[in-house]
Amino acid sequence: MDLPWGDEKTVKFVTNVGLITSDGPNGPNIMSAEWTHHISYSPGLIAVCVGQGKATNENIKATKEFGVSLASADQNVIASVSGGSSGKKVDKIAVLKELGFRFYKAKKIKALMVEGAALHVECKAVQIIELGDHTMFVGEVLDATAGSKEPLVYHGLKFRKLGENIQPPAEKELERIKHLVEKFGKTNG
């Protein structure tokens, strides 16, 4: 069964917006990637899923490196421009610079990084896995810096800000849960 983009089932997922930067045969490029995930603490690993045949896909395969800037809540325009056209047909970096967005040179990779993002991560590709109509690039973190802004959230085909915090269960409920966990604990694990 397929789960197409924009389907009533796929829009239930809540994701961040990764601004994936690369530089390779298609030149300096940026794309928005909903599927940007932190998958290991030690070593630090980030996975990004990129459509096959995309400029970013070709750039990463050629250079084995990429940047991840998690878009901040005030970067919906850069996320829209980055995801709205192909890096094979449009110099999206030039468009974004003309709109007033700024980039800086990464420390450990050739790709540019996005100023003002919630998080900046420079990666060396350590695994490339073809999965359906996308390629998963697993990158080992070479350098990472956290910004001070909250990340942009994507849900229901819309950009959103993080909202209200939900309180943890009350102390009485936590005690009940603790008791049940002890009661149903397995002895073989």
Side-chain angles (χ1 to χ4, degrees), residues 24-154:
N26 293 292
N29 192 41
I30 184 169
M31 68 163 282
S32 294
E34 225 184 306
W35 300 334
T36 305
H37 310 282
H38 177 203
I39 59 172
S40 172
Y41 293 116
S42 182
L45 298 175
I46 303 288
V48 297
C49 297
V50 180
Q52 293 170 359
K54 302 287 185 182
T56 297
N57 192 311
E58 293 173 4
N59 278 357
I60 297 172
K61 282 181 178 174
T63 63
K64 307 295 187 275
E65 63 182 32
F66 58 94
V68 175
S69 296
L70 287 187
S72 61
D74 62 354
Q75 291 182 319
N76 60 317
V77 171
I78 193 170
S80 293
V81 171
S82 299
S85 55
S86 168
K88 291 182 177 183
K89 297 179 180 178
V90 177
D91 182 344
K92 294 185 275 184
I93 301 286
V95 170
L96 289 165
K97 285 180 177 179
E98 190 73 20
L99 289 170
F101 292 99
R102 297 192 327 227
F103 298 84
Y104 67 92
K105 289 185 176 195
K107 297 174 193 169
K108 310 265 183 175
I109 62 174
K110 187 178 174 189
L112 295 170
M113 302 300 290
V114 180
E115 281 193 16
L119 176 69
H120 307 93
V121 184
E122 299 175 31
C123 296
K124 170 183 69 170
V126 293
Q127 274 193 293
I128 299 173
I129 307 161
E130 302 297 333
L131 298 167
D133 57 5
H134 280 65
T135 304
M136 178 186 287
F137 295 96
V138 178
E140 183 173 351
V141 175
L142 302 175
D143 191 73
T145 356
S148 60
K149 298 178 181 179
E150 289 290 321
L152 183 65
V153 177
Y154 190 71

Side-chain angles (χ1 to χ4, degrees), residues 13-31:
F13 288 95
V14 177
T15 63
N16 56 42
V17 180
L19 301 171
I20 312 306
T21 51
S22 61
D23 193 349
N26 293 292
N29 192 41
I30 184 169
M31 68 163 282

Side-chain angles (χ1 to χ4, degrees), residues 164-183:
E164 175 185 348
N165 288 336
I166 297 173
Q167 296 299 314
E171 189 63 36
K172 184 177 178 181
E173 185 67 7
L174 289 173
E175 284 299 318
R176 180 173 174 250
I177 292 167
K178 180 181 175 186
H179 171 75
L180 290 171
V181 167
E182 290 170 1
K183 178 179 177 181

